[in-house]
Amino acid sequence: MTPAQQSAAALKVCQLAPVVPVLVIDDLAHAAPLARALVAGGLPALEVTLRTPAALDAIRAMADVEGGTVGAGTLLTPADVKAAKKAGATFGVSPGATDSLIKACEDEGLPLLPGAVTATEIMTLLERGYTVQKFFPAEQSGGAAFLKSIGSPIPQVKFCPTGGISLKNAPDYLSLKNILCVGGSWVAPKEAMAAGDWATITKLAAEASALR
């Protein structure tokens, strides 16, 4: 799968909803009901970060939830790519991009949303064929103002910014022409997951899905 083909697939994922939940799952029992709650609220694209021992099993469990599109976040190595694809991830997200990570996604046929944060990084990925990129960490790297500015000289690239984004500031990003969606963890609070309060998560997802 070429970078251009990966970006075409990533574009479809990013167009599913204005917000992609960025999920850190510690308890495997939370995976399926969490996915159902988010999908019910209108957020079908789900990024499970590979930051916990339960992450890969959570991807497997969430992949069976009707209406969901499950991906793996925090991809750092080729081994991460292989494990994510094997677990059922249909897309991958990385905080940055390396040659070995890109090659692994090409070899495994896993659409990658690669991270970039400088003009040079964005241009380098564009040169390889990635027209859809992650901007991370967004708030700490200039936020919506930076992305608005970079859109003038590099209009070919569309972004999914993540990092420090909330219900309050998400509209600042989503109003920009070069923003497809945003990533955020606020739609799945740890307290709600621990309490099994899936109704609250569905409500938060519904609020997020109405953004634009």
Side-chain angles (χ1 to χ4, degrees):
M1 178 176 266
T2 67
Q5 291 170 331
Q6 292 175 45
S7 279
L11 175 64
K12 293 180 180 179
V13 173
C14 289
Q15 289 176 330
L16 290 173
V19 177
V20 175
V22 179
L23 307 171
V24 180
I25 300 175
D26 293 297
D27 187 342
L28 178 58
H30 294 160
L34 174 61
R36 287 193 290 268
L38 291 166
V39 171
L43 301 182
L46 311 171
E47 177 191 338
V48 179
T49 59
L50 301 187
R51 302 179 192 176
T52 70
L56 290 171
D57 285 332
I59 290 172
R60 292 186 183 94
M62 296 170 86
D64 292 331
V65 173
E66 186 176 355
T69 300
V70 184
T74 323
L75 297 179
L76 302 178
T77 68
D80 290 339
V81 174
K82 291 179 180 179
K85 182 69 183 294
K86 187 176 181 181
T90 57
F91 66 94
V93 185
S94 59
T98 64
D99 289 340
S100 60
L101 188 71
I102 288 172
K103 185 178 187 303
C105 287
E106 291 175 342
D107 292 344
E108 295 295 324
L110 184 69
L112 178 66
L113 187 64
V117 76
T118 67
T120 297
E121 291 172 350
I122 293 165
M123 289 169 63
T124 299
L125 286 170
L126 175 61
E127 192 173 76
R128 298 192 72 152
Y130 287 101
T131 55
V132 179
Q133 302 176 20
K134 171 180 175 176
F135 181 70
F136 173 85
E139 280 292 285
Q140 297 82 355
S141 303
F146 176 90
L147 288 166
K148 181 178 180 180
S149 296
I150 206 72
S152 294
I154 316 177
Q156 302 94 323
V157 179
K158 306 298 182 185
F159 296 95
C160 171
T162 71
I165 298 179
S166 65
L167 181 66
K168 182 178 179 180
N169 63 11
D172 296 338
Y173 291 90
L174 294 169
S175 65
L176 303 177
K177 294 180 180 179
N178 59 342
I179 304 303
L180 295 168
C181 62
V182 300
S185 58
W186 84 87
V187 294
K190 286 188 176 182
E191 299 80 5
M193 283 195 282
D197 186 0
W198 309 120
T200 289
I201 290 176
T202 294
K203 181 181 178 181
L204 291 171
E207 290 176 345
S209 69
L211 291 172
R212 267 306 177 194

